[in-house]
Amino acid sequence: MIVSVLLRENRVNHRVLGRTGLKVSEIGLGALEVGRPWGICSDSDPGLPPSESAAHEFLNSTLDSGVNLIDTAAAYWASEERIGRFLSQRRDEYVLATKWGEWCDENGSVYDYTPAAMSSFLEKSLLNLQTDVIDLYQIHSGPLDVIRSDDVIAAMVTAKEQGKIRYTGVSCAAREAVAAIESGHFDAIQISYSLLDRTMEEQVLPLARQHNVGVIVKDGLAAGRLTSKIDRLGEDHADIKRKVSRLRDLAREWGMSLPEMSLRFVLSNQSVSSVIAGTRSSAHLQENLKAADGLGLSSEQLQAACSVT
């Protein structure tokens, strides 16, 4: 069962991450943009990561705001190193999640899911993050055969027995999420779920709740499409822009911003432990935190939001 606990000191609601027992803020930080170019770009916003000093300020203000879940990956360029450099002195204040299986640089990505690669990823992540243990170690975009691999599972179990990781997870699509949950080997899954993609509602989210597997939602803002960045897209995205415009009008009727309404929608599903919002902006983070009050959307609001086409 997921339990919500209101922490008075920062007024950010927290939930339990499935059977891990870890209490995580309803809004977590997706730290991709801290270290790697990303996003729906424009001339005024090329999507570049922040400077060293700006990253230092942003990461510390994130913890100061009450966010206690930070999700990163080996593939996020300088993200792990910056988290280690700027937050290692505050390690006991946050739940640290990272991912393995994807190497990435300016030339693109290379995937390696062998047990030997996992050990290499893990040692480098521990070094970059300046920590002795990673709270949640996730397979990055895990394919079905990797999720079902006895050798991969054994390697992750060994890392847990060695005290290098505390819990295991996987970032994946719907079919892979079902396999991960049913295997009994994964403590948490990370999935895409938003007002623009409700695929996980039918099977994955109920199944995770049934098995007490923690659920971290990525893309709760549909990779920026449920924000003002949607206006940067061209006419080849006309259909989705029309739907988002209708959702924005609905949010205004309820006295909310579109991102706030979108995050409240995700958090209204009690199978969800936390939704990670990818940003490099303290202002955007503070806007997102308005949704972390434990209220979600009413049943009437959910019905209205889900009926928008």
Side-chain angles (χ1 to χ4, degrees):
M1 179 180 295
I2 293 178
V3 180
S4 293
V5 180
L6 185 62
L7 300 186
R8 294 179 181 177
E9 62 268 25
N10 48 47
R11 298 188 300 173
V12 175
N13 216 53
H14 287 59
R15 299 184 182 188
V16 176
L17 185 64
R19 58 176 175 250
T20 71
L22 297 170
K23 293 179 180 178
V24 294
S25 48
E26 288 188 337
I27 302 296
L29 174 66
L32 185 153
E33 294 182 37
V34 171
R36 176 176 168 181
W38 195 258
I40 303 174
C41 303
S42 67
D43 291 340
S44 60
D45 179 12
L48 298 177
S51 65
E52 287 288 290
S53 60
H56 179 277
E57 180 179 357
F58 171 69
L59 287 169
N60 279 275
S61 67
T62 294
L63 295 187
D64 292 341
S65 72
V67 170
N68 83 328
L69 173 62
I70 297 180
D71 178 82
T72 184
Y76 295 171
W77 295 16
S79 179
E80 284 190 335
E81 292 178 77
R82 287 179 162 186
I83 291 167
R85 187 179 307 125
F86 302 135
L87 295 183
S88 61
Q89 299 303 312
R90 304 179 66 175
R91 181 64 184 89
D92 60 344
E93 297 181 41
Y94 62 97
V95 174
L96 176 59
T98 192
K99 312 180 197 74
W100 71 274
E102 178 187 358
W103 302 106
C104 183
D105 60 19
E106 292 87 345
N107 298 314
S109 292
V110 175
Y111 298 88
D112 189 345
Y113 298 108
T114 62
M118 193 225 73
S119 297
S120 179
F121 273 108
L122 179 56
E123 295 305 322
K124 186 171 183 180
S125 289
L126 289 169
L127 182 64
N128 286 340
L129 291 161
Q130 298 187 32
T131 186
D132 295 326
V133 61
I134 292 165
D135 297 309
L136 179 62
Y137 202 46
Q138 306 158 102
I139 303 174
H140 202 161
S141 303
L144 194 61
D145 61 329
V146 173
I147 290 169
R148 291 175 171 168
S149 168
D150 292 339
D151 290 340
V152 169
I153 297 302
M156 296 184 78
V157 169
T158 297
K160 183 185 291 190
E161 292 172 345
Q162 292 171 338
K164 295 180 180 181
I165 64 176
R166 297 179 66 190
Y167 302 104
T168 57
V170 58
S171 168
C172 58
R175 182 179 64 159
E176 290 75 14
V178 170
I181 295 168
E182 292 181 339
S183 75
H185 295 300
F186 295 91
D187 302 303
I189 56 172
Q190 185 173 145
I191 56 173
S192 295
Y193 177 50
S194 73
L195 275 167
L196 298 182
D197 179 7
R198 297 170 56 204
T199 308
M200 301 294 177
E201 284 182 349
E202 183 175 352
Q203 184 179 14
V204 173
L205 288 169
L207 191 65
R209 188 172 178 84
Q210 177 185 341
H211 289 263
N212 198 21
V213 170
V215 176
I216 297 173
V217 168
K218 59 179 178 177
D219 294 336
L221 297 177
R225 288 167 177 79
L226 288 167
T227 73
S228 60
K229 292 181 180 179
I230 186 70
D231 299 326
R232 300 175 184 177
L233 297 179
E235 284 308 306
D236 52 330
H237 296 85
D239 289 343
I240 191 171
K241 289 177 74 172
R242 278 192 291 270
K243 180 173 182 177
V244 171
S245 179
R246 296 185 187 107
L247 288 169
R248 182 185 289 147
D249 290 342
L250 195 60
R252 286 182 183 138
E253 288 181 26
W254 298 337
M256 304 176 191
S257 68
L258 175 60
E260 180 183 352
M261 182 185 77
S262 301
L263 294 173
R264 286 183 183 276
F265 164 79
V266 174
L267 291 169
S268 293
N269 192 307
Q270 289 301 299
S271 297
V272 174
S273 307
S274 181
V275 52
I276 53 174
T279 184
R280 57 186 180 276
S281 164
S282 293
H284 290 165
L285 182 65
Q286 290 303 314
E287 175 66 27
N288 294 338
L289 285 174
K290 293 179 182 178
D293 59 8
L295 298 179
L297 296 177
S298 68
S299 57
E300 293 81 7
Q301 288 173 328
L302 284 171
Q303 183 177 2
C306 290
S307 67
V308 172
T309 59

